[in-house]
Amino acid sequence: DEKLNILYINASLRKFMQNSLTQIRSDLPQFNIDTLVGSNIDVFHKDPRHQRVMLERLKDTHRATITVGGKAFDLIVTALKLSGRRAGFVVEWADADARLRSFDYAAQIEAIGRSTAVIEFSPQGEIKNANALFLGLLNYTIDEVRGRHHEIFIDSEHRKSKEYAEFWTRLASGKPFIGQFKRIRKDGREVWIQGTYNPIPGPDGKIVKVVKFASDVTDQVRFIQNIRQGLAALAQGQLDFRLKIALPPELEAVNEDFNRAVDTLRGVMQRMAGSASQVNARADELNALSDDLSRRSESQAASLEES
């Protein structure tokens, strides 16, 4: 009523509060549904002054979300008028947890979409939607991909493989995929993606779509392939090999370090080879001297025997 005494609670709200009783009592230990009718709304508030001032000024409708004991409630407060005079209030209650969770999840997805490539498929692989980052990565527009199958991003050999067919069968059954995947852009260029394919179930548990979150790791994959090629060349003694593929600045430094290391190793090997040549030359001189000494010794021995 106009004095903020509770006159009526319907069965739906009574049940709602009963189900939330544990949370409510963690903040309001004396809260009792059975004695609520006839009580003042101050029983809901630790410090009721704010609510009383707000209601005193209320002329139409007020919406608010309150938290009691960790439980969130949406409230709609409407002023009731009788003959132009305010006669009381009606307060509608609703569980705000689901709404707030949905809002939170939507905000998280939006944040992910600002830094991550995202694309959605049907359980069979038909493209439903994609964000700007994904479309830019594969060089398509949304109109060029929507309604087409995921296979447009796959090379022709892999597209025909048994592995690729099992890939979508597994996703449709609810099993995710995580890894690095080679994909083909519209212009034919090869890109590598680090991604997760996530099957999303509906209320009945059946998979309704597959959402992929991905990031471009082409530079990293090319770098690793380049380093492996360089190490293989070193293992075969090819000291003239150089890493030449252009990479981002943070990886280009490793290229330069690798090439400097190979140059240093080559210089050491050249110096060792030069030292070995000098040793061989000295050895040849010693062999010649030894042969000469041997000949002289034989001559002297012959002269001695003759004497």
Side-chain angles (χ1 to χ4, degrees):
D1 60 17
E2 68 278 8
K3 296 181 180 179
L4 307 184
N5 296 313
I6 300 169
L7 304 180
Y8 170 76
I9 303 173
N10 69 0
S12 178
L13 181 56
R14 185 178 295 274
K15 181 178 179 181
F16 180 43
M17 288 185 171
Q18 185 66 49
N19 292 336
S20 306
L21 196 57
T22 301
Q23 292 99 319
I24 294 175
R25 282 184 173 170
S26 67
D27 267 357
L28 306 171
Q30 307 303 319
F31 183 82
N32 188 338
I33 297 174
D34 295 332
T35 61
L36 208 50
V37 174
S39 301
N40 194 276
I41 68 162
D42 291 349
V43 299
F44 288 107
H45 310 121
K46 293 180 179 178
D47 182 3
R49 286 175 296 179
H50 170 74
Q51 286 75 19
R52 284 185 166 272
V53 170
M54 183 273 295
L55 291 173
E56 181 66 29
R57 296 173 179 174
L58 184 64
K59 295 181 179 180
D60 192 6
T61 299
H62 175 75
R63 297 174 182 268
T65 299
I66 65 171
T67 302
V68 182
K71 177 75 174 177
F73 302 96
D74 282 333
L75 304 183
I76 303 176
V77 185
T78 304
L80 298 179
K81 295 181 181 179
L82 183 62
S83 301
R85 182 181 64 84
R86 189 175 61 201
F89 304 89
V90 170
V91 183
E92 302 171 66
W93 290 62
D95 189 343
D97 286 347
R99 180 184 63 80
L100 293 176
R101 279 198 303 269
S102 296
F103 180 80
D104 182 54
Y105 295 156
Q108 291 184 47
I109 292 298
E110 184 178 349
I112 291 172
R114 287 194 291 269
S115 60
T116 305
V118 183
I119 186 169
E120 298 181 11
F121 304 92
S122 72
Q124 293 73 39
E126 179 184 328
I127 300 169
K128 298 296 186 182
N129 202 8
N131 71 353
L133 287 177
F134 188 92
L135 295 169
L137 178 59
L138 275 299
N139 196 31
Y140 284 97
T141 66
I142 187 60
D143 292 332
E144 290 174 324
V145 299
R146 183 179 282 132
R148 300 179 68 182
H149 195 272
H150 171 269
E151 65 182 18
I152 64 173
F153 308 131
I154 310 298
D155 63 72
S156 57
E157 183 178 351
H158 184 54
R159 192 182 304 168
K160 300 173 184 177
S161 68
K162 180 181 178 182
E163 177 187 359
Y164 184 59
E166 292 176 347
F167 172 77
W168 282 104
T169 300
R170 175 175 170 178
L171 287 172
S173 69
K175 298 177 181 178
F177 259 103
I178 302 173
Q180 289 184 350
F181 308 93
K182 183 176 75 172
R183 296 294 179 253
I184 307 300
R185 287 165 46 102
K186 185 177 72 172
D187 57 14
R189 286 172 48 199
E190 177 185 296
V191 296
W192 283 86
I193 291 175
Q194 177 73 41
T196 61
Y197 288 83
N198 306 281
I200 307 298
D204 58 358
K206 294 181 179 179
I207 303 302
V208 295
K209 65 180 178 179
V210 175
V211 179
K212 178 183 181 181
F213 300 102
S215 57
D216 184 4
V217 292
T218 304
D219 288 335
Q220 291 89 328
V221 171
R222 291 173 62 201
F223 169 73
I224 292 172
Q225 291 173 341
N226 205 22
I227 287 291
R228 290 179 63 184
Q229 186 179 359
L231 293 175
L234 286 181
Q236 296 173 6
Q238 300 176 19
L239 297 182
D240 57 348
F241 180 86
R242 294 294 180 274
L243 300 180
K244 299 178 181 179
I245 296 178
L247 294 171
E250 65 273 14
L251 298 177
E252 187 62 39
V254 181
N255 267 8
E256 295 172 359
D257 290 342
F258 180 90
N259 290 337
R260 276 198 299 269
V262 173
D263 286 338
T264 301
L265 179 59
R266 185 168 134 181
V268 170
M269 296 302 292
Q270 287 175 338
R271 288 194 295 273
M272 290 177 63
S275 298
S277 297
Q278 292 177 3
V279 170
N280 284 337
R282 298 290 296 182
D284 290 341
E285 291 177 8
L286 289 173
N287 284 335
L289 291 172
S290 178
D291 289 342
D292 183 58
L293 179 61
S294 178
R295 284 194 300 272
R296 290 182 182 183
S297 296
E298 290 176 358
S299 176
Q300 289 177 0
S303 298
L304 180 60
E305 184 178 357
E306 183 178 352
S307 298

